[in-house]
Amino acid sequence: MAVELTVDGEPIVVENDRADLLTVLREQCGITSVKDGCAPQGQCGCCTVLIDGQARVACVTPVRRIAGRSVTTVDGLESTERAQWAEAFASSGASQCGFCTPGIICRLSALRASGIEPDNRTKLDNALAAHLCRCTGWQTIREAWVAFGDSDLPSLTDAAAQRAAIEGGTPQAVGAAVALGRGGFSADTCPADALVAVPGSDGDWVAAPTLAEARVTSGKVQGRRTTAEASAPIPLPDGSWDLTLQTTWVEPAALETETVWCPPGGEPSSLLENGGAFGAKIDLQDELGQVARRLADAHDAPIRLVLSREDSVRMGTKRPPLAAGLRADGTGVVHVARTDGVAAAIASMAPALDVVEVDVPGPRTSTSLRGAGWLEAAVLIGALTGTDRIEAPNGGVASAVVVDGVIRVQVDAGEALDETVLRSYCIGAAHMGHSLVTSEQLHVGEDGTIGDLTVRSFGIVRSADMPHVEVEIVASDQPAVNGSDAVFAAVALATWRAAGLPPQWPIGQ
Ligand code: FES
Ligand code: FES
């Protein structure tokens, strides 16, 4: 049965009343500002739109339930309001990759229309609880909420994109358009007539004219969250230790799941079109690009390869878990999941530690992920020596302390280039460091099977639970280097120290 709706002021007819609203908006209406970060889990908030003015996640909204109603995406907000939100987010550094931002803007638009005061932090945190952002650490989003409507907002400098590329590790768009979801993601730039391929249950790929058909044909059961707690998979090395640490599997959890498209006889798009998820997307780039090229040639048609959230968790690489015992003089032993380059990464920060790689059943691990190996080593040595200063391998220097519940960060990243962008990445990195130590984990069974397949099960710290972060940028005329990786490690150290150095991460909030 056909369903009639209004989308951004235009009447539309949906022939399939079993379709979900996200699919209709993206695939039928071509509205790519509405993002798919976890469909059909309904947990990330990236697909949030307004239905008769109320914020709703589109991926779990069947169109038959909203027949005759009015849907507004970020594109359909009144033009002045839309521009004000975009400027508020850009000038606050509240949007990095921008994948989460259109959905957040829709929710904040509804919140503002409800008449709450801009300083009502509780209501704001409650609203943001329906969303996940992996880049910004929430604080700059709260600042954008307050800045909305200010007619005198500062602009980003011409060097903002340069600073973003240094911090993100890949070229990255900046500015108001990014906040409106126009960062240029592969899923949004693909030709509309491309076939869609998804992983099938037998290990091969299933191609179909639409994403919905491909997913139905693949017959995959959607991801779940296990009720079991994650545990440290590697026992501590034998010995008498003054400091120990055991970590567990950690999912990088980029909000944009991996998507790549390729024309027949052509080159695949990049997984890193607007942000590389701090290294998380590097490992699958070649693998998925080759599959896209093979399928495009086999079908003689453009192919869009799409990983769902559970596909992304199953296929993507993880932070290698480890177990370390240290003596007061800095010597000791680290047992770490076998991972290319991890011994060198640990040795770069803690040369007196013996590193033993061990085989642990579980997902693939990688040192491409931000700070993998060297962060843990730097934090262990920092905890032993009493320093709060971290010098990252890529040149940045940061220190961090927790004082009265506030995380105070100082960063030297050479020439700042653009203070708004540098501060934004440092606050995002502070969130990631705090979150890594307190909350993030991925359940993996003894047989190596991943138990947590939903985006809410990875432990990303919510807005309400994130301490305030103060960032001091050290003035410098030295060449610009990455500063946020050092902040990531320094805040992990400060958070662990403030909690009394408990022997396992995550330590709990
Ligand atoms: S895509 Fe709908 S909530 Fe994540
Ligand atoms: S800006 Fe929020 S996920 Fe990237």
Side-chain angles (χ1 to χ4, degrees), residues 418-432:
D418 185 288
E419 293 216 356
T420 299
V421 173
L422 177 54
R423 176 177 179 270
S424 169
Y425 275 87
C426 289
I427 291 173
H431 173 262
M432 203 176 272

PDB file of all heavy atoms in Angstrom, residues 418-432:
ATOM      1  N   ASP A 418      45.007  27.176  13.480  1.00  0.00           N
ATOM      2  CA  ASP A 418      43.641  27.621  13.768  1.00  0.00           C
ATOM      3  C   ASP A 418      43.298  27.122  15.167  1.00  0.00           C
ATOM      4  O   ASP A 418      43.144  25.915  15.392  1.00  0.00           O
ATOM      5  CB  ASP A 418      42.654  27.063  12.744  1.00  0.00           C
ATOM      6  CG  ASP A 418      41.257  27.624  12.958  1.00  0.00           C
ATOM      7  OD1 ASP A 418      40.615  27.223  13.960  1.00  0.00           O
ATOM      8  OD2 ASP A 418      40.826  28.473  12.165  1.00  0.00           O
ATOM      9  N   GLU A 419      43.170  28.050  16.111  1.00  0.00           N
ATOM     10  CA  GLU A 419      42.991  27.648  17.510  1.00  0.00           C
ATOM     11  C   GLU A 419      41.662  26.947  17.731  1.00  0.00           C
ATOM     12  O   GLU A 419      41.553  26.055  18.570  1.00  0.00           O
ATOM     13  CB  GLU A 419      43.120  28.869  18.423  1.00  0.00           C
ATOM     14  CG  GLU A 419      44.532  29.424  18.433  1.00  0.00           C
ATOM     15  CD  GLU A 419      44.961  29.954  19.789  1.00  0.00           C
ATOM     16  OE1 GLU A 419      44.117  29.963  20.717  1.00  0.00           O
ATOM     17  OE2 GLU A 419      46.127  30.363  19.911  1.00  0.00           O
ATOM     18  N   THR A 420      40.625  27.349  16.989  1.00  0.00           N
ATOM     19  CA  THR A 420      39.322  26.701  17.175  1.00  0.00           C
ATOM     20  C   THR A 420      39.403  25.223  16.820  1.00  0.00           C
ATOM     21  O   THR A 420      38.922  24.361  17.559  1.00  0.00           O
ATOM     22  CB  THR A 420      38.257  27.387  16.300  1.00  0.00           C
ATOM     23  OG1 THR A 420      38.158  28.749  16.691  1.00  0.00           O
ATOM     24  CG2 THR A 420      36.914  26.703  16.438  1.00  0.00           C
ATOM     25  N   VAL A 421      40.040  24.947  15.692  1.00  0.00           N
ATOM     26  CA  VAL A 421      40.137  23.552  15.247  1.00  0.00           C
ATOM     27  C   VAL A 421      41.062  22.759  16.165  1.00  0.00           C
ATOM     28  O   VAL A 421      40.743  21.634  16.571  1.00  0.00           O
ATOM     29  CB  VAL A 421      40.608  23.484  13.783  1.00  0.00           C
ATOM     30  CG1 VAL A 421      40.884  22.045  13.372  1.00  0.00           C
ATOM     31  CG2 VAL A 421      39.556  24.091  12.873  1.00  0.00           C
ATOM     32  N   LEU A 422      42.203  23.342  16.521  1.00  0.00           N
ATOM     33  CA  LEU A 422      43.131  22.621  17.399  1.00  0.00           C
ATOM     34  C   LEU A 422      42.466  22.324  18.747  1.00  0.00           C
ATOM     35  O   LEU A 422      42.539  21.199  19.256  1.00  0.00           O
ATOM     36  CB  LEU A 422      44.410  23.447  17.603  1.00  0.00           C
ATOM     37  CG  LEU A 422      45.449  22.842  18.557  1.00  0.00           C
ATOM     38  CD1 LEU A 422      45.827  21.416  18.155  1.00  0.00           C
ATOM     39  CD2 LEU A 422      46.698  23.721  18.626  1.00  0.00           C
ATOM     40  N   ARG A 423      41.790  23.318  19.305  1.00  0.00           N
ATOM     41  CA  ARG A 423      41.104  23.108  20.591  1.00  0.00           C
ATOM     42  C   ARG A 423      40.036  22.017  20.453  1.00  0.00           C
ATOM     43  O   ARG A 423      39.889  21.159  21.334  1.00  0.00           O
ATOM     44  CB  ARG A 423      40.479  24.427  21.040  1.00  0.00           C
ATOM     45  CG  ARG A 423      39.659  24.330  22.307  1.00  0.00           C
ATOM     46  CD  ARG A 423      39.132  25.706  22.708  1.00  0.00           C
ATOM     47  NE  ARG A 423      38.312  25.634  23.910  1.00  0.00           N
ATOM     48  CZ  ARG A 423      36.997  25.427  23.886  1.00  0.00           C
ATOM     49  NH1 ARG A 423      36.371  25.253  22.727  1.00  0.00           N
ATOM     50  NH2 ARG A 423      36.317  25.374  25.017  1.00  0.00           N
ATOM     51  N   SER A 424      39.293  22.056  19.353  1.00  0.00           N
ATOM     52  CA  SER A 424      38.248  21.058  19.142  1.00  0.00           C
ATOM     53  C   SER A 424      38.835  19.644  19.144  1.00  0.00           C
ATOM     54  O   SER A 424      38.308  18.733  19.800  1.00  0.00           O
ATOM     55  CB  SER A 424      37.543  21.330  17.818  1.00  0.00           C
ATOM     56  OG  SER A 424      36.707  20.242  17.461  1.00  0.00           O
ATOM     57  N   TYR A 425      39.926  19.467  18.415  1.00  0.00           N
ATOM     58  CA  TYR A 425      40.529  18.127  18.363  1.00  0.00           C
ATOM     59  C   TYR A 425      41.103  17.725  19.724  1.00  0.00           C
ATOM     60  O   TYR A 425      41.107  16.546  20.077  1.00  0.00           O
ATOM     61  CB  TYR A 425      41.594  18.059  17.267  1.00  0.00           C
ATOM     62  CG  TYR A 425      40.996  17.749  15.914  1.00  0.00           C
ATOM     63  CD1 TYR A 425      40.510  18.760  15.092  1.00  0.00           C
ATOM     64  CD2 TYR A 425      40.874  16.443  15.470  1.00  0.00           C
ATOM     65  CE1 TYR A 425      39.933  18.478  13.866  1.00  0.00           C
ATOM     66  CE2 TYR A 425      40.299  16.157  14.238  1.00  0.00           C
ATOM     67  CZ  TYR A 425      39.835  17.177  13.445  1.00  0.00           C
ATOM     68  OH  TYR A 425      39.254  16.882  12.224  1.00  0.00           O
ATOM     69  N   CYS A 426      41.603  18.694  20.473  1.00  0.00           N
ATOM     70  CA  CYS A 426      42.150  18.366  21.796  1.00  0.00           C
ATOM     71  C   CYS A 426      41.026  17.968  22.755  1.00  0.00           C
ATOM     72  O   CYS A 426      41.185  17.032  23.562  1.00  0.00           O
ATOM     73  CB  CYS A 426      42.946  19.546  22.352  1.00  0.00           C
ATOM     74  SG  CYS A 426      44.499  19.806  21.459  1.00  0.00           S
ATOM     75  N   ILE A 427      39.895  18.647  22.679  1.00  0.00           N
ATOM     76  CA  ILE A 427      38.770  18.277  23.543  1.00  0.00           C
ATOM     77  C   ILE A 427      38.226  16.895  23.126  1.00  0.00           C
ATOM     78  O   ILE A 427      37.911  16.053  23.975  1.00  0.00           O
ATOM     79  CB  ILE A 427      37.673  19.357  23.483  1.00  0.00           C
ATOM     80  CG1 ILE A 427      38.178  20.629  24.170  1.00  0.00           C
ATOM     81  CG2 ILE A 427      36.384  18.864  24.151  1.00  0.00           C
ATOM     82  CD1 ILE A 427      37.250  21.824  24.032  1.00  0.00           C
ATOM     83  N   GLY A 428      38.165  16.662  21.821  1.00  0.00           N
ATOM     84  CA  GLY A 428      37.744  15.341  21.355  1.00  0.00           C
ATOM     85  C   GLY A 428      38.696  14.252  21.820  1.00  0.00           C
ATOM     86  O   GLY A 428      38.274  13.164  22.222  1.00  0.00           O
ATOM     87  N   ALA A 429      39.990  14.543  21.779  1.00  0.00           N
ATOM     88  CA  ALA A 429      40.984  13.567  22.221  1.00  0.00           C
ATOM     89  C   ALA A 429      40.905  13.351  23.731  1.00  0.00           C
ATOM     90  O   ALA A 429      41.124  12.234  24.227  1.00  0.00           O
ATOM     91  CB  ALA A 429      42.384  14.046  21.834  1.00  0.00           C
ATOM     92  N   ALA A 430      40.602  14.410  24.474  1.00  0.00           N
ATOM     93  CA  ALA A 430      40.439  14.273  25.928  1.00  0.00           C
ATOM     94  C   ALA A 430      39.263  13.338  26.226  1.00  0.00           C
ATOM     95  O   ALA A 430      39.337  12.477  27.114  1.00  0.00           O
ATOM     96  CB  ALA A 430      40.214  15.644  26.560  1.00  0.00           C
ATOM     97  N   HIS A 431      38.191  13.506  25.465  1.00  0.00           N
ATOM     98  CA  HIS A 431      37.038  12.603  25.621  1.00  0.00           C
ATOM     99  C   HIS A 431      37.452  11.165  25.325  1.00  0.00           C
ATOM    100  O   HIS A 431      37.110  10.235  26.064  1.00  0.00           O
ATOM    101  CB  HIS A 431      35.923  13.056  24.677  1.00  0.00           C
ATOM    102  CG  HIS A 431      34.759  12.119  24.610  1.00  0.00           C
ATOM    103  ND1 HIS A 431      34.618  11.202  23.599  1.00  0.00           N
ATOM    104  CD2 HIS A 431      33.690  11.950  25.418  1.00  0.00           C
ATOM    105  CE1 HIS A 431      33.504  10.506  23.788  1.00  0.00           C
ATOM    106  NE2 HIS A 431      32.924  10.941  24.883  1.00  0.00           N
ATOM    107  N   MET A 432      38.231  10.982  24.260  1.00  0.00           N
ATOM    108  CA  MET A 432      38.625   9.628  23.871  1.00  0.00           C
ATOM    109  C   MET A 432      39.539   9.005  24.932  1.00  0.00           C
ATOM    110  O   MET A 432      39.429   7.811  25.239  1.00  0.00           O
ATOM    111  CB  MET A 432      39.308   9.665  22.499  1.00  0.00           C
ATOM    112  CG  MET A 432      39.261   8.344  21.772  1.00  0.00           C
ATOM    113  SD  MET A 432      39.974   8.429  20.096  1.00  0.00           S
ATOM    114  CE  MET A 432      38.547   8.925  19.147  1.00  0.00           C
TER     115      MET A 432
END
